[in-house]
């Protein structure tokens, strides 16, 4: 055990200590763990959850009949409900705090494996992850935001770790992390996860056998869930809510009176007048009455609509038709919603509406957002709700914008420069870039209003890749003053970290006894 502890990068302990100090400060400042999702009669409707009574008394059957959302968040809440009442909140809070710590550690290790100098990786992780008030605020809510952020961070780390030192065990961790994210959030689908594994196998043929040997079980689990959703609910995705989600930036964002006018003209059906995610009576649709309770229940125990009633499948399909018709009729309105959603995405994540009335840590949050995230003035979320206005240039985080630009434009260049001679390194940059990019594009095109939360969920990948791109640019620039034909911009650091593909065979591996160990 003592030998193992010596192998852990000492900077990891610095990150863990910083996370602990942030947790203590938040507790002193009055931040408390919010667990309304465990209250059977809470007036707050957590749309993503089935009736808590079903999760407690019939968890397995209820999960099999869950079509509205991926199953893992409901599984997590159901498992908590099976604990003794006095243990539920402490266990949940401990797990979320551990996830908060691991997000920082894995962000740091990902950058180190991608050849970012350790001191740079430590400073970036500490400043932009550990000290970010959004990290500790989301970790204080029993919502699925922190689990998603952890899953995205872990997937990026596992991809880089496997591509640097391919083993069946690392392949299993990579596939498991991808399965975890795809079965937790609908913005990243199992088909995308399987596609990533296939692309790795095609790009680096020498890894195929190792990848198959380690990834077959998580891949089989994802394939079985896709098959189950296709047979049971008619969709190869993990959620049937696409139509209702897309209603927010389309019909829900239309100018006053336009939807009524289009309905009167027969261009949209009357269902377009209903509020998205409303009770069944608003749609004039009879509830499904035959089958398991998870599919037939009209209202949950707290009196809120059961959005998993089977009738919502057809409602969402019909809503999708209205949404697409509206986009064809009024593309300008939809593009305006996408623009505003993208702008909200670069607003500091601690200004999410969950925390709009939270008075804890206000001084620290204001200081951090202004001087670290470079947001001159705070964004008033109510301005979007009532006036359909997005944030002004002074209300967005220019640090977030710089990160997105650096990662978005810099990583493709890094991949192109590395592809011929360092294929595994190129793929190690490309896989996280693809994950974060697809996640942000999907959420921006299908939602407006919660986009700064979505940015948070994939934000550590953006931070890591932006740092990699910046460090590569710096090394490239410095090499111009000291030209050395035997070195590439990343040269010696990549060799030291095990990215030394043999010349002439970029898809093969060369043993390297000097590969570093990590936590």
């Amino acid at each position: 055990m003592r030998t193992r502890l010596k192998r852990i990068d000492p900077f990891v302990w610095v990150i863990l200590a910083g996370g602990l100090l942030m947790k203590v400060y938040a507790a002193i400042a009055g931040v408390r763990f919010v667990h309304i999702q465990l209250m059977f009669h809470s007036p707050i409707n957590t749309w993503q959850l089935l009736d808590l009574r079903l999760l407690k008394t019939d968890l397995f059957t209820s999960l099999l009949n869950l079509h509205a959302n991926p199953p893992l968040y409901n599984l997590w809440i159901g498992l908590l409900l099976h604990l003794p009442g006095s243990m539920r909140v402490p266990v949940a809070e401990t797990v979320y705090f551990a996830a908060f710590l691991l997000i920082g550690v894995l962000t740091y290790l990902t950058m180190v494996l991608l050849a970012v100098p350790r001191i740079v990786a430590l400073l970036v992780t500490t400043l932009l992850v550990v000290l970010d008030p959004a990290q500790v605020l989301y970790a204080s809510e029993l919502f699925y935001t922190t689990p998603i952020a952890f899953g995205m961070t872990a997937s990026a780390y596992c991809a880089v770790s496997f591509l640097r030192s391919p083993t069946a065990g690392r392949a299993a961790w990579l596939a498991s992390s991808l399965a975890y994210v795809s079965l937790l959030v609908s913005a990243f689908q199992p088909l995308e996860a399987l596609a990533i594994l296939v692309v790795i196998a095609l790009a680096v043929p020498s890894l195929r056998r190792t990848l198959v040997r380690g990834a077959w079980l998580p891949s089989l689990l994802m394939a079985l869930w896709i098959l189950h959703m296709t047979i049971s609910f008619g969709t190869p995705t993990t959620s049937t809510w696409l139509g209702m989600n897309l209603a927010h930036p389309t019909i829900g964002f239309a100018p006053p009176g336009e939807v009524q006018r289009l309905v009167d003209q027969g261009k949209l059906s009357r269902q377009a007048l209903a509020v998205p995610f409303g009770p069944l009576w608003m749609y004039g649709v009879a509830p499904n009455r035959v089958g398991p309770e998870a599919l037939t229940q009209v209202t949950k125990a707290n009196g809120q609509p059961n959005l998993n009633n089977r009738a919502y499948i057809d409602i969402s399909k019909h809503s999708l038709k209205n949404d697409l018709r509206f986009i064809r009729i009024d593309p300008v309105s939809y593009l305006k919603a996408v623009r505003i959603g993208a702008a909200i995405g670069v607003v500091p994540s601690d200004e999410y509406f969950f925390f709009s009335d939270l008075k804890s840590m206000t001084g620290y949050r204001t200081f951090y957002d202004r001087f670290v995230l470079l947001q001159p003035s705070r964004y008033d979320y109510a301005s979007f709700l009532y006036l359909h206005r997005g944030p002004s240039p002074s209300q967005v985080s220019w640090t977030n914008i710089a990160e997105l630009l650096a990662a978005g434009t810099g990583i493709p260049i890094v991949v192109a420069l590395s592809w011929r001679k360092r294929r595994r390194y190129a793929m190690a940059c490309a896989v996280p870039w693809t994950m974060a990019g697809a996640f942000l594009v999907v959420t921006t095109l299908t939602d407006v209003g919660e986009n700064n939360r979505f940015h948070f969920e994939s934000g550590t990948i953006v931070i890591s890749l932006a740092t990699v791109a910046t460090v590569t640019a710096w090394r490239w620039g410095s090499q111009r003053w000291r030209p050395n034909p035997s070195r590439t911009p990343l040269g010696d650091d990549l060799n030291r970290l095990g990215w030394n593909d043999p010349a002439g065979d970029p898809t093969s591996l060369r043993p390297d006894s000097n590969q570093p160990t990590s936590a």
Side-chain angles (χ1 to χ4, degrees), residues 287-350:
N288 180 62
R289 298 288 189 182
V290 179
E293 195 169 357
L295 294 172
T296 59
Q297 193 180 42
V298 178
T299 58
K300 297 187 283 191
N302 61 359
Q304 299 295 335
N306 170 35
L307 297 172
N308 194 65
N309 189 289
R310 196 174 190 116
Y312 282 99
I313 298 177
D314 289 334
I315 289 173
S316 188
K317 289 179 180 178
H318 197 80
S319 181
L320 181 59
K321 293 179 182 178
N322 278 329
D323 300 336
L324 297 177
R325 288 173 187 162
F326 180 85
I327 293 175
R328 288 196 297 268
I329 295 169
D330 189 0
V332 174
S333 179
Y334 173 63
L335 291 176
K336 179 183 177 183
V338 171
R339 177 184 62 80
I340 291 177
I344 293 174
V346 290
V347 168
S349 300
D350 65 283

Side-chain angles (χ1 to χ4, degrees), residues 371-392:
F371 294 103
V372 177
L373 296 185
L374 303 182
Q375 181 200 36
S377 59
R378 188 172 178 83
Y379 174 55
D380 181 8
Y381 188 83
S383 67
F384 159 73
L385 284 178
Y386 301 113
L387 300 178
H388 281 204
R389 288 206 313 265
S392 67

Side-chain angles (χ1 to χ4, degrees), residues 5 41 49 121 144 160 197 203 207 224 252 276 286 292-293 382 386 468 488 499:
L5 289 176
H41 298 286
L49 289 178
Y144 60 11
V160 174
L197 297 176
L207 302 185
L224 288 175
E293 195 169 357
Y386 301 113
V468 170
T488 63
W499 297 107

Side-chain angles (χ1 to χ4, degrees), residues 34 103 271 407:
V34 179
I103 287 171
Q271 183 183 302

Side-chain angles (χ1 to χ4, degrees), residues 137-193:
L137 289 175
Y138 283 110
S140 300
E141 291 272 352
L142 189 56
F143 197 43
Y144 60 11
T145 300
T146 288
I148 294 171
F150 166 73
M152 294 290 283
T153 307
S155 295
Y157 169 76
C158 289
V160 174
S161 179
F162 168 71
L163 286 160
R164 183 192 69 109
S165 301
T167 65
R170 290 188 175 93
W173 278 111
L174 169 58
S176 298
S177 63
L178 292 173
Y180 167 82
V181 176
S182 67
L183 296 176
L184 177 64
V185 57
S186 59
F188 184 78
Q189 289 291 317
L191 287 173
E192 294 177 76

